[in-house]
Structure formats: structure tokens, C-alpha cells
Amino acid sequence: MAQEASSSTSSKTISLKTGDGEIFEIEASAAKQMKTVQRLIDDLGDDITIPLHNVFSKELPKIIEYYKKDITGEITKDFEAEFVKDLNDDEVKVLFLAANYLDANKLFEFLSQNIADRLESKSVEYVRKYFGVENDFTPEEESKLREERAWSFRGIKEDE
Amino acid sequence: MRDVEMGSDEKQDFISELPNEVLTFILSKLRVDEAVRCNILAKRWLGLWKKAPHIEFNGKHMIRPVTQLLHSRESTITQDPFLYPFMKGGVFRYGFVIFQLMFRHSGNLSSCRFLHFKKSLWIGEVDTWIKFLVNKMNGLKHLSLECLPDYGQDADEIMFENEIYKLCISHKKFHCLSSLDLINYTMDSWCAFEDCHNLKILKLERIHLDDFVLSGILQNCVALENFSLIESTGFTKLIIVNSNLKILRLQVLCVGRLEVIAQNLEVLFLDSITCPVKNLSIYAPSLSNFESHSYSISSIEERTFVMKSYDIIAYFIDLSMQQSCNILPKLLAMSLDLDLNNLEEIMYLSSALGLCTSLQVLDITLPEYDYNDFTLPFLKPTLFWEMRLCKTFTQKLKFVTIRGFKGKEKEVEFAKFLITRATMMKRINIICYDSIEVAENLLSLPRASHNLTINLKCNSN
């Protein structure tokens, strides 16, 4: 509530160009929350279009939406729940990687928690697939490790 | 255009190319059994959980058959002189697993959370975990302890358990922490808080402790900036004297006396406090954000004894007349549970708002149950507000929220007054109880502020 009282209207907008060539506008105060963008602004100036090679037009609008709400102090649990409700696991992963690239702390933390929630009670194979991890243990090594930590395998639910 | 689908080879390995810090960040959000399970994802992940900055030990997810425990490879630990007595004593199984994990962690833990069963209190296990943790993890800053109710028990029953289940932490063990949460305990000693010079954030929820222990804790936590006391009992008075305190949150408490002396307090949140208003005393010259709620308690009987928002507002109005620590003129934001259709409450609200010369944000929640409406004697409705509220109020107010709006006459008048008179208002949110229709004609009123957005929402989805 108090955040709303002290928010100032900044009319300065910054142009961002995604890796696939589309241009989006965000307010300067939102850009401040993404450290990578801020660094580029400091280096290149805020009048030119900032290029973001690793972020694409599919995810940038969502990120902009999040930070638009953040600067007015309106991020609530309901908003966050709604934000991720219709995203599938891969879309969350892509947003997470983008947030990491942009060094957007708040969104990064929120999405990490969401990924952790989505991985809750999933099998090891599912998590491997999700992270794109190649299993480099031999079958003997793996079964030994599983046995030693058998207590941690009780909570797994069936993969869908 | 680059393919961002899962099937693409380029994206496939991208997550694994992230640095360890990012991966351990995700690991710390997982429950500990899942984080440990990630050991076998691939070689790189083996032991990665040990570097995670946060661990959550949740007893419910850690119960392990005894037979596997006996055959575990942790022979080094069972010989450890510190831990062996616990092994011998038939330690509660998950407690041993917790020791294993803490033992093998790399030691750079900055945050830890325990959810354990009450039996662990009985055998002194919780104290031993804390001792071990504080000794090994030099950088430990945040700790959260919660006692889980046994199957079939309510959370608040734990507070009143007999002697053997109370939380006993050794002398000074909390002194390196900067943030602490304690949930569901009975405490009869404050010695763990001795010399707690670093503690900035403290939350006590459903704690049973007497006046002596409570005052011992408060007096030792001199650096406290954020204090929450929720649903706790056993003490008759609450006296808080702290010049560092910035945020104070008191919820569902019953005391005979409440005193707050906090030079730098900025945020005060009171919810369902039972206390004789004459024994209420608040000295908070820096207060900018005040919230008062009394509708949280569902039982109508209990609600009658709770301090209402207008009681506290009346107290603030008194303060302004005595010229001692005048709170209302400095408030930037205020949130109240108040019935806009009740004459007495409106009188207090209007007097208070007349003194709020800096207020920018106002949030009012209307009660769910209905009172009888009153009729304003001989005054034209908007005139009522206009006469009582100073000009600066209508010039400073920026954001307003009214919740539980039912479209009754007096509520509508208040909303109408704000829309047609508040010249700097940017947004007014009206959250309707049943349907939006009751508020729709507010949209067509002439607006005093050019930038005004009127949002209508409905509560029942």
C-alpha cells in the first residue's frame, strides 16, 4: 500500500529489440529492475533501441507485464498465481532462463519457486528431461546411489 | 526464427549450462528429500545440494524405515562421539537423517527451516539440531522453526501441551541470527535470545509464553526492526519499547495493556486485538502506514470484545487534541475495517480523515453482515463529508480501495464524495460483495481528477 503512495510517474520509455527482431517498449523504471538492461542502457544510452539477443518475442511481453505490475506495487499472491496458471512447464522454463539472462531478480526468484513447486514429487527421469540433463552415471553407480538415499525416494508420484 | 520448443537441441542443454549458483538456487527451493534426489540426475549434480544456501527439513517428508537406517553407509557418523548418544537413545528416525544432511553439507548455509514433530521436543532433539547448525554454519542468518501437529491434532493445540513438549533452546543460541520465525510452541525461557544483537526480523506465531519470557525476549532483541506477534497467549501485557523498530504486526491477541514506544516505527498492523481501549498507548511519531482489522475472527461473539478500528481512530483523535505525538497528520496510508453505513463509525472516520492532511492511500473494508442503515438528520449527504474533511485531504488522496461494497446508500455517498471531490485521485478500486451492478452508476459521475481510473471488481468469482 505504501508503495503506491510514493510511486512516481516516469514517462520515459525504453525500446527493447528481441532476438527475433521485434521491438517492445517498457518504462524506464521497469527497465531498472532488469540489471542486464540497465547496464546496456548505461553503456549505450537510453535513446537507442536495446538489443536482447537471447530473449524472444514469445516471452518478453510476459516479462514486461510482470514488471509493469511491480513498479506500481501491485504484485500480490493472486497476481502471481494467475501469471503462471496457464503456462506449461516448458514455458516457465523459458521465462526463467530469460529472467536469468536479464538479471531480473524478483521475477527470477518467483519463477525458481514455481519451478520447484512444479517439480515437487516428480520422478528423477522427469526432472532430467526437464533440465535437459544427460545421465552420465553407469547403471551400477546409479542404483548404488539410489539405495543409499532410499529415504528420499518415498515421495514420488507417477509421471503423467 | 529460433525454435524455442523442448525438442530443439540448442535449448535442451541450456539449463545445464547455467552456473552452479543458479542451480543451487533452485535446489534450495525444493524440499530436502527432492534436493537430495537430484544427486542422481548426473555427475555434475552429485553433491550440489550441499552447496545450496537454504535447506528445508520437513519431517512429514522424511520418515524412513528403520531397517535401511541400520544398513546405511554412514558408519563414520555412528561413531561420532557427539551424535552416538543419540543413536543409542533410539533417536526418532528422521532426526538422524537431519543430522546426516547437516553433517555433510558444505557449511555455507545461510538459511534453514525445520518442520518437525513434537516428539522431537520431548527428546531434546531440536536443541541439538540448533546447536549443531549454529556451530557448523558460520554464515547462518535466517532460521525458521515450526512444530507440526500430530495426525488428527489442530495446530493451536500444541501451544497448550504439557511441560515435556516445550521448546528449550540453549543459552544465546539465537545470537548470530538476523531473522527468526517460531511457530507453534510453548516457551518458558528467553535465554536463547540473550545478546541477540543481530536479530532484525522476529516472528512469533501461536506461541504460549508468560510476561516474564516475553519481556525478556523483547528487551534482548534491541536491533529488532520487524516484529510480528500472532495468535499467541499466556501474557497479560504487551509493552514494546524499541527505537529501531520499523514494522510491527500484532494479530489475534488478548491483553490487559498494550503500549508501544517506537520512535522510528513506520508500519503498524493491528488485527483483532482484545484490549481495553483506555490501556492502549501508542507513541510512534514516524508512523506512515496504519492498518486496523477486526473482521478476521469468524465468531461473532469473540468479535464483540475485539478493539474496533473506530476505537483506535478515536484514540488517535484524542492524541491530536492533547498535542502529544500526533499520528494522523503524518499518515500516508491507512487501511481499516469499518462500516460506512454505521453512524458512529462514520463520525469517527470523518473526524480522523479531517486530520489526515498527508493521506495518499485509503483502503476500507466493509463488514459482511448487515446492520440497519441510518438516515442522516437534515444534512445533504455529500455536505456531511465536505463539512468535516479538510481541503488538503481532497488534494492529497491518490489511491482508494473499498472492499465488500454492496451499494447501500451511505457507502455510495462516500464513494460519490471521493470521486467528485478528490482532485488528485488516480485510482479508486471498488470491490463489490455480490455483483458489479450496484456500483456501475459511479462510473458516470463527474470526476474531480482528470487522471482518475475507476476499477470495479467482484469478490465472488
Side-chain angles (χ1 to χ4, degrees):
Chain A
M1 230 173 52
Q3 275 177 303
E4 291 186 86
S6 50
S7 74
S8 51
T9 41
S10 164
S11 49
K12 181 90 194 164
T13 57
I14 310 280
S15 298
L16 303 175
K17 186 161 160 190
T18 65
D20 49 346
E22 279 196 46
I23 302 199
F24 294 90
E25 306 269 324
I26 54 165
E27 293 191 27
S29 42
K32 264 209 174 68
Q33 305 295 327
M34 307 182 210
K35 298 209 192 89
T36 307
V37 174
Q38 189 58 50
R39 257 173 292 179
L40 287 169
I41 292 176
D42 292 339
D43 287 342
L44 304 170
D46 53 6
D47 290 327
I48 79 162
T49 306
I50 309 287
L52 298 172
H53 299 301
N54 277 332
V55 184
F56 300 91
S57 50
K58 198 157 181 249
E59 55 266 18
L60 190 56
K62 262 295 211 190
I63 298 176
I64 293 179
E65 184 194 324
Y66 186 86
Y67 276 103
K68 236 179 160 159
K69 280 276 182 192
D70 183 45
I71 52 177
T72 61
E74 273 175 34
I75 296 206
T76 59
K77 284 266 175 295
D78 288 335
F79 170 71
E80 288 186 331
E82 200 57 43
F83 188 78
V84 289
K85 199 171 71 161
D86 295 321
L87 301 173
N88 65 32
D89 290 349
D90 290 326
E91 286 167 338
V92 172
K93 187 167 68 170
V94 166
L95 270 177
F96 170 76
L97 291 171
N100 179 49
Y101 172 75
L102 293 171
D103 210 346
N105 239 348
K106 200 154 176 198
L107 184 61
F108 179 77
E109 262 219 50
F110 165 54
L111 291 175
S112 313
Q113 183 65 61
N114 192 250
I115 289 182
D117 293 339
R118 282 165 191 259
L119 294 178
E120 189 174 323
S121 302
K122 289 287 196 293
S123 69
V124 174
E125 290 73 29
Y126 185 95
V127 177
R128 269 198 198 117
K129 203 160 149 244
Y130 188 78
F131 284 138
V133 171
E134 265 226 36
N135 182 7
D136 48 1
F137 287 119
T138 65
E140 297 82 34
E141 288 172 336
E142 186 177 327
S143 62
K144 182 161 178 280
L145 290 171
R146 275 184 187 258
E147 199 190 299
E148 284 163 357
R149 290 161 187 77
W151 66 270
S152 66
F153 287 88
R154 294 183 86 234
I156 303 181
K157 304 210 177 84
E158 290 288 318
D159 286 346
E160 274 152 34
Chain B
M1 192 156 149
R2 226 165 110 162
D3 186 7
V4 298
E5 295 297 311
M6 180 67 179
S8 145
D9 283 340
E10 284 185 71
K11 277 293 185 197
Q12 185 96 350
D13 289 338
F14 198 7
I15 278 213
S16 288
E17 276 168 25
L18 290 172
N20 278 355
E21 292 83 45
V22 177
L23 297 179
T24 53
F25 196 77
I26 300 187
L27 282 175
S28 38
K29 304 276 180 191
L30 293 167
R31 293 188 324 235
V32 73
D33 58 325
E34 288 167 343
V36 167
R37 225 183 284 150
C38 285
N39 266 331
I40 69 168
L41 286 180
K43 287 197 178 136
R44 181 196 176 189
W45 289 77
L46 188 59
L48 204 55
W49 69 269
K50 294 184 196 168
K51 306 211 184 91
H54 168 81
I55 290 194
E56 177 176 308
F57 295 111
N58 188 333
K60 280 197 279 200
H61 303 294
M62 294 177 69
I63 318 285
R64 177 182 172 176
V66 175
T67 41
Q68 285 176 329
L69 197 80
L70 294 175
H71 294 296
S72 88
R73 66 176 187 142
E74 309 310 329
S75 51
T76 43
I77 297 199
T78 56
Q79 305 305 325
D80 185 309
F82 182 72
L83 294 172
Y84 189 60
F86 282 91
M87 284 282 331
K88 269 185 72 176
V91 67
F92 207 48
R93 305 148 198 161
Y94 74 94
F96 180 65
V97 178
I98 289 181
F99 276 123
Q100 278 187 22
L101 296 170
M102 287 200 293
F103 196 81
R104 294 159 75 208
H105 192 273
S106 65
N108 66 340
L109 206 63
S110 66
S111 159
C112 190
R113 183 177 179 208
F114 288 91
L115 295 106
H116 63 84
F117 300 103
K118 64 185 196 215
K119 212 167 180 177
S120 297
L121 292 169
W122 178 26
I123 54 179
E125 211 169 35
V126 181
D127 187 30
T128 316
W129 292 330
I130 305 296
K131 274 209 273 251
F132 194 92
L133 201 65
V134 168
N135 271 339
K136 171 158 187 184
M137 316 288 180
N138 297 327
L140 189 70
K141 291 267 164 285
H142 309 279
L143 180 62
S144 174
L145 293 176
E146 180 172 345
C147 184
L148 297 166
D150 285 344
Y151 181 71
Q153 200 185 28
D154 277 329
D156 49 357
E157 284 174 35
I158 300 179
M159 284 201 309
F160 302 103
E161 291 283 356
N162 48 29
E163 282 282 304
I164 52 176
Y165 291 127
K166 60 181 168 21
L167 179 72
C168 296
I169 305 286
S170 316
H171 206 53
K172 293 201 201 180
K173 283 299 162 217
F174 290 151
H175 94 278
C176 57
L177 296 173
S178 66
S179 158
L180 174 64
D181 290 348
L182 296 176
I183 305 171
N184 290 341
Y185 292 107
T186 300
M187 294 174 69
D188 68 354
S189 158
W190 53 264
C191 66
F193 288 90
E194 198 173 319
D195 282 352
C196 243
H197 296 163
N198 297 310
L199 199 67
K200 294 222 169 96
I201 305 178
L202 176 62
K203 176 165 114 164
L204 301 176
E205 188 172 335
R206 282 191 294 274
I207 307 286
H208 184 77
L209 71 176
D210 66 18
D211 285 298
F212 175 69
V213 178
L214 179 58
S215 60
I217 293 177
L218 290 172
Q219 280 166 21
N220 273 280
C221 296
V222 293
L224 211 54
E225 288 178 14
N226 184 331
F227 178 50
S228 301
L229 186 60
I230 302 169
E231 282 183 66
S232 299
T233 61
F235 45 94
T236 56
K237 53 187 189 298
L238 182 54
I239 301 180
I240 301 175
V241 180
N242 189 316
S243 56
N244 291 315
L245 199 63
K246 296 218 177 88
I247 302 176
L248 178 61
R249 187 183 187 104
L250 303 174
Q251 247 174 282
V252 190
L253 303 174
C254 181
V255 288
R257 159 172 231 99
L258 172 56
E259 264 180 54
V260 177
I261 301 176
Q263 186 70 32
N264 290 309
L265 190 68
E266 290 167 11
V267 179
L268 177 60
F269 181 100
L270 299 174
D271 183 352
S272 307
I273 308 291
T274 305
C275 175
V277 186
K278 62 176 166 51
N279 290 339
L280 173 69
S281 166
I282 299 179
Y283 173 78
S286 310
L287 198 67
S288 60
N289 189 332
F290 173 64
E291 282 198 41
S292 164
H293 300 284
S294 50
Y295 297 153
S296 315
I297 296 193
S298 42
S299 140
I300 305 259
E301 292 161 1
E302 284 178 40
R303 222 186 284 184
T304 50
F305 297 112
V306 156
M307 271 199 304
K308 306 289 187 308
S309 301
Y310 63 85
D311 285 325
I312 307 178
I313 295 284
Y315 169 73
F316 285 156
I317 295 174
D318 274 344
L319 282 184
S320 70
M321 296 202 290
Q322 293 166 32
Q323 302 261 316
S324 60
C325 176
N326 203 348
I327 288 183
L328 292 172
K330 300 213 199 92
L331 281 185
L332 296 177
M334 188 155 68
S335 172
L336 306 170
D337 283 358
L338 195 114
D339 189 356
L340 287 172
N341 300 300
N342 175 299
L343 178 61
E344 191 184 1
E345 301 193 38
I346 291 199
M347 290 294 196
Y348 282 117
L349 179 66
S350 59
S351 303
L353 290 181
L355 295 166
C356 288
T357 48
S358 315
L359 199 70
Q360 293 181 25
V361 182
L362 181 62
D363 192 311
I364 298 194
T365 304
L366 296 157
E368 274 182 42
Y369 48 87
D370 292 332
Y371 274 135
N372 292 326
D373 288 347
F374 70 95
T375 45
L376 264 174
F378 37 81
L379 267 183
K380 211 172 146 222
T382 31
L383 218 52
F384 171 82
W385 292 106
E386 203 162 322
M387 276 173 53
R388 288 175 143 72
L389 300 187
C390 58
K391 200 143 184 264
T392 40
F393 175 76
T394 49
Q395 285 172 348
K396 283 267 163 71
L397 197 63
K398 289 209 184 111
F399 302 99
V400 174
T401 304
I402 303 180
R403 301 166 201 271
F405 194 82
K406 287 183 189 159
K408 294 203 253 181
E409 201 186 332
K410 304 295 169 287
E411 308 166 7
V412 171
E413 272 153 26
F414 184 64
K416 216 162 133 179
F417 171 77
L418 293 176
I419 293 174
T420 54
R421 297 279 198 267
T423 51
M424 296 302 288
M425 198 154 68
K426 289 205 182 134
R427 186 165 53 244
I428 175 164
N429 300 317
I430 311 241
I431 299 170
C432 301
Y433 186 72
D434 268 331
S435 71
I436 301 189
E437 289 154 12
V438 299
E440 268 166 4
N441 47 6
L442 291 174
L443 294 172
S444 48
L445 289 168
R447 300 174 190 194
S449 161
H450 298 301
N451 295 329
L452 184 59
T453 317
I454 303 183
N455 283 335
L456 301 182
K457 280 185 223 171
C458 192
N459 218 357
S460 44
N461 290 320

